[in-house]
Amino acid sequence: MTLLVKNIKELLQVRETSVSFLSGKAMGELPAIKNAFLAVENGIISDYGIMRDCPDETGFDTVLDASGKLVLPTWCDSHTHLVFAGNREGEFVDRIHGLTYEEIAKKGGGILNSAKTLQNTSEEDLYEQSKTRLKAVMAMGTGAIEIKSGYGLSLEAELKMLRVIKRLKEAFPISVKATFLGAHAVPKNTDKAAYVNHIIQDMIPRIAEAKLADYIDVFCETGYFSVADTKAILKVGKSYNLQAKIHVNQFTSIGGVAAGVENQALSVDHLELLTASDVQALKNSMTMPVALPGCSYFLGIPYTPARTIIDAGLPLALATDYNPGSAPSGNMNFVVSTACVKMQMTPEEAINAATINGAYAMGLENELGSITKGKLANFSITEPINSYSFLPYSFGENHIESVYIKGQNIG
Ligand code: NIG
Ligand code: FE
């Protein structure tokens, strides 16, 4: 199967030699080719360049004319909870009436509310609900996604979630990474120490043995899991080859960032509250900070200080956090726009954060995240638009016209 996209107004994120991720000033550069072509062979990017060098189109199975349109790599959404049962719009209305996210959680709402619903939902139903969401985010330009468990909170229900993620991985052409988040909340009427032991002694070995997870996560936060709990869980996770990707600094800074870095976490996510020592801990590490502006928007909490992070020379990735409680949207276009509007990221920084840096935060930087020969041909074609800055500028809109995964049009 061969495909040629010709007359591309601008081909974005073109990198002759692939980079692992971009940090600091380098995030401000988005290499692009105007009036370009892109060639695909068997799902892989085989060539690209200026139209003057475009190969003869008779040699291709399919030829697309992208006049007036931009082409860019699909979004790499490195932090989601896309597999969940039901919704929590009741809690949303409670918050409008003045309750805080923390108060709702204390009353047995929040994560425990979703866990109860999920435990009472059949695996088939959970799969169907999740499938609908995955199709929707793919149509908006997402071409790689990480999905967490963590609404099961019992061995049986966590396995159910992870099996659903595995089924999605097998049924859909996009790259799906699975993360075990047993330590998302302490189940009702359960002693925290006993639950942490259960995670360590029973859940991790069973999940690792069934090869149901790529990564391990902990919600390291006041009132959830302490730094000591986090370190204990990550250590055992590591012994089962599960690298860490953790929730830290959403509401308080308690040392979770340093704990993540010390344990070679691939990413530390949220960071709405970031201290100078957290920034220091991230320097010279291989850990990717990940911001989730959809969560800040929805909960009305501070935005991750992107300028502090990038101006300190660090990298930053952007993800949706798609979940029923704090970010019920999997729209990466909204995330990219909100990062520019609310976090003072430039369009170049935001696009880099949502493509190559997101790919790194899922261990996919060699396959995805840039237009590079040999990488998977996962790309989006926009509607006819003036420039790439129009994408974040026109917030709440989606200008992705069509999406290609491994060279195949998925809508
Ligand atoms: O990333 N902070 C922890 N977990 C999710 C939200 C969970 C929920 O409210 O259902 C998050 O924001
Ligand atoms: Fe999350």
Side-chain angles (χ1 to χ4, degrees):
M1 274 294 292
T2 53
L3 166 73
L4 176 71
V5 191
K6 63 175 189 177
N7 297 327
I8 302 168
K9 178 170 175 163
E10 198 168 7
L11 178 64
L12 307 180
Q13 189 61 302
V14 181
R15 303 209 178 248
E16 199 180 318
T17 41
S18 184
V19 287
S20 292
F21 59 83
L22 297 159
S23 318
K25 280 203 168 59
M27 283 190 71
E29 287 152 34
L30 184 69
I33 302 177
K34 292 202 163 107
N35 197 18
F37 76 90
L38 176 68
V40 176
E41 223 179 289
N42 298 324
I44 305 286
I45 297 171
S46 56
D47 202 5
Y48 61 80
I50 50 172
M51 272 311 286
R52 212 180 41 227
D53 299 333
C54 187
D56 180 0
E57 61 185 61
T58 54
F60 289 86
D61 299 324
T62 312
V63 179
L64 300 171
D65 191 323
S67 295
K69 303 172 184 181
L70 313 187
V71 171
L72 68 159
T74 48
W75 306 125
C76 296
D77 190 355
S78 67
H79 180 140
T80 85
H81 308 249
L82 173 137
V83 171
F84 58 85
N87 291 299
R88 305 216 305 264
E89 63 264 46
E91 293 180 5
F92 165 61
V93 176
D94 287 345
R95 281 197 298 105
I96 295 172
H97 287 126
L99 282 186
T100 66
Y101 181 75
E102 290 91 331
E103 283 164 349
I104 290 166
K106 278 206 185 92
K107 287 198 329 177
I111 297 167
L112 295 186
N113 182 358
S114 286
K116 196 166 140 202
T117 314
L118 188 134
Q119 285 164 5
N120 295 323
T121 301
S122 73
E123 193 160 326
E124 193 56 35
D125 188 1
L126 186 60
Y127 176 72
E128 288 301 322
Q129 291 186 37
S130 308
K131 191 173 104 178
T132 304
R133 290 181 204 116
L134 188 56
K135 275 190 186 164
V137 301
M138 286 168 66
M140 291 187 286
T142 295
I145 194 165
E146 180 258 18
I147 309 175
K148 300 172 194 296
S149 70
Y151 289 120
L153 308 183
S154 70
L155 177 57
E156 196 192 326
E158 286 292 308
L159 285 169
K160 176 163 77 180
M161 286 190 82
L162 290 162
R163 281 194 301 265
V164 166
I165 300 172
K166 185 172 179 221
R167 241 179 110 182
L168 294 171
K169 206 186 265 205
E170 288 163 358
F172 284 82
I174 76 168
S175 304
V176 176
K177 292 284 184 172
T179 300
F180 169 54
L181 175 56
H184 198 192
V186 179
K188 226 176 160 181
N189 304 324
T190 310
D191 171 61
K192 192 185 74 168
Y195 185 58
V196 170
N197 272 337
H198 182 45
I199 290 174
I200 287 174
Q201 285 166 11
D202 311 313
M203 290 182 161
I204 296 176
R206 184 68 193 281
I207 284 156
E209 182 195 313
K211 294 194 171 22
L212 284 171
D214 302 295
Y215 300 109
I216 189 156
D217 195 346
V218 176
F219 186 17
C220 178
E221 184 58 61
T222 309
Y224 290 83
F225 295 90
S226 67
V227 171
D229 298 331
T230 304
K231 284 182 176 169
I233 293 168
L234 296 192
K235 192 170 145 233
V236 176
K238 197 192 290 177
S239 73
Y240 282 92
N241 263 332
L242 299 174
Q243 197 180 2
K245 282 175 65 65
I246 58 175
H247 284 73
V248 285
N249 290 37
Q250 183 176 1
F251 302 109
T252 55
S253 170
I254 56 173
V257 173
V261 172
E262 275 163 32
N263 285 283
Q264 291 87 42
L266 181 57
S267 71
V268 285
D269 305 26
H270 270 289
L271 312 174
E272 286 87 341
L273 213 99
L274 199 68
T275 65
S277 59
D278 293 324
V279 172
Q280 203 49 40
L282 285 162
K283 284 196 177 160
N284 303 316
S285 79
M286 293 301 277
T287 300
M288 176 65 68
V290 179
L292 310 165
C295 172
S296 300
Y297 173 85
F298 191 67
L299 293 187
I301 62 173
Y303 286 88
T304 302
R307 284 267 57 91
T308 306
I309 295 171
I310 297 170
D311 295 346
L314 294 170
L316 185 63
L318 287 167
T320 62
D321 197 16
Y322 194 5
N323 77 75
S326 70
S329 162
N331 185 350
M332 279 295 283
N333 302 289
F334 175 78
V335 164
V336 167
S337 174
T338 308
C340 296
V341 175
K342 294 289 183 185
M343 294 161 63
Q344 291 77 47
M345 288 175 75
T346 64
E348 293 81 5
E349 288 171 338
I351 293 172
N352 279 321
T355 54
I356 187 67
N357 283 6
Y360 177 85
M362 292 186 274
L364 292 171
E365 70 276 15
N366 293 325
E367 292 157 48
L368 288 165
S370 64
I371 301 296
T372 303
K373 283 184 205 170
K375 281 196 174 183
L376 294 177
N378 289 16
F379 60 89
S380 295
I381 306 180
T382 69
E383 293 166 347
I385 56 174
N386 250 335
S387 74
Y388 59 77
S389 295
F390 186 74
L391 295 172
Y393 160 84
S394 56
F395 75 92
E397 308 274 323
N398 175 20
H399 299 289
I400 303 292
E401 190 177 79
S402 54
V403 179
Y404 287 77
I405 303 292
K406 295 180 188 156
Q408 300 279 344
N409 185 7
I410 59 102

